[in-house]
Amino acid sequence: MQNYNELAQSVKISDDKKHVLLDADPSLSLIGKGRSAYVFRIHSTNKALKVFFPDHTHTAKVEAEIYKTVQSIEYYPTLYDAGVNYLVIDHIEGNTLFECLTLGIPITEENIAEIDHALQLARKEGLNPSDIHLRNIFITSEKKVKIIDVARFKQVKSCNQWHDLKSAFHLFYSKSFFPKKIPSFILNSIAAIYKKRFLPI
């Protein structure tokens, strides 16, 4: 297998606003695309390669530094390598909170408490957990919490996203009458409304 840097350089992304994936080494399987990067699983390993878009390479350095800060905290992936435009971290077996909701997999009070604890431990390291949403929190196959996409954990301004998600859990989701399986288009619509600040919780 090629080394991590060679694998990252094999990933070709169009240098425009569309960020089209043009090519990648055959040993990489695409598993996700975010606002700043593509994420691949490296075949025959338990590792994921995150390759940043050409206009977001500065984020690679920031996120690598934050992962190094939280390496002793079990709720965050291990960072194995980092370069100018990539990171190599654990590939997480499990489901995001978004997937749990769309699949009807129960989210428990214990999960919420564990996420709270994970974020508090990051704060003790001098970070400011921000941009916490349904797609960057995993419940692993062992029912443990893992948090990814930590690039915004150093921003200065206050972020209420996790507080609002937790409030929604207690006000709505935890009630026995509330549906535990929600279609993705409804979740995406709620997120869009929330981003426009039309849905205070």
Side-chain angles (χ1 to χ4, degrees):
M1 186 183 76
Q2 294 174 291
N3 64 40
Y4 297 135
N5 180 64
E6 290 172 338
L7 287 175
Q9 301 321 309
S10 79
V11 177
K12 306 301 181 186
I13 303 169
S14 65
D15 195 3
D16 56 29
K17 291 183 179 179
K18 293 183 178 180
H19 303 122
V20 177
L21 179 62
L22 303 173
D23 195 17
D25 189 273
S27 65
L28 300 175
S29 292
L30 180 65
I31 56 175
K33 178 187 179 183
R35 288 178 292 184
S36 62
Y38 282 101
V39 182
F40 305 85
R41 183 170 188 174
I42 304 173
H43 290 186
S44 303
T45 76
N46 62 350
K47 297 179 178 65
L49 172 69
K50 184 173 184 177
V51 181
F52 291 81
F53 304 153
D55 55 348
H56 284 77
T57 54
H58 61 283
T59 309
K61 181 179 180 181
V62 172
E63 191 159 10
E65 290 174 353
I66 295 170
Y67 274 128
K68 289 174 184 175
T69 301
V70 296
Q71 281 302 273
S72 62
I73 304 174
E74 63 178 315
Y75 302 109
Y76 300 90
T78 297
L79 177 70
Y80 296 98
D81 192 23
V84 173
N85 68 329
Y86 73 91
L87 306 174
V88 180
I89 60 174
D90 291 318
H91 174 263
I92 300 168
E93 296 284 354
N95 297 103
T96 64
L97 293 190
F98 187 93
E99 291 167 336
C100 288
L101 289 171
T102 59
L103 296 171
I105 299 171
I107 299 169
T108 67
E109 292 276 2
E110 290 76 15
N111 295 147
I112 300 301
E114 197 172 6
I115 296 164
D116 249 348
H117 183 53
L119 298 175
Q120 185 58 35
L121 291 175
R123 291 186 188 99
K124 288 182 178 180
E125 296 296 328
L127 299 172
N128 177 30
S130 305
D131 194 33
I132 307 299
H133 55 76
L134 297 175
R135 287 186 170 91
N136 61 14
I137 302 172
F138 277 81
I139 307 299
T140 72
S141 52
E142 281 131 15
K143 308 302 180 187
K144 299 294 183 181
V145 164
K146 287 284 185 180
I147 299 175
I148 62 169
D149 293 344
V150 296
R152 291 176 177 81
F153 275 34
K154 280 190 174 181
Q155 74 176 26
V156 176
K157 67 179 181 179
S158 178
C159 177
N160 292 321
Q161 277 187 248
W162 172 243
H163 175 270
D164 292 341
L165 281 173
K166 189 167 59 169
S167 295
F169 175 87
H170 292 299
L171 286 171
F172 305 111
Y173 181 87
S174 63
K175 307 304 184 192
S176 59
F177 60 81
F178 193 84
K180 300 303 183 278
K181 185 174 182 179
I182 306 171
S184 59
F185 78 90
I186 292 179
L187 293 175
N188 289 330
S189 297
I190 293 171
I193 295 169
Y194 175 82
K195 285 178 183 177
K196 294 181 178 179
R197 298 294 183 262
F198 294 153
L199 190 66
I201 296 176

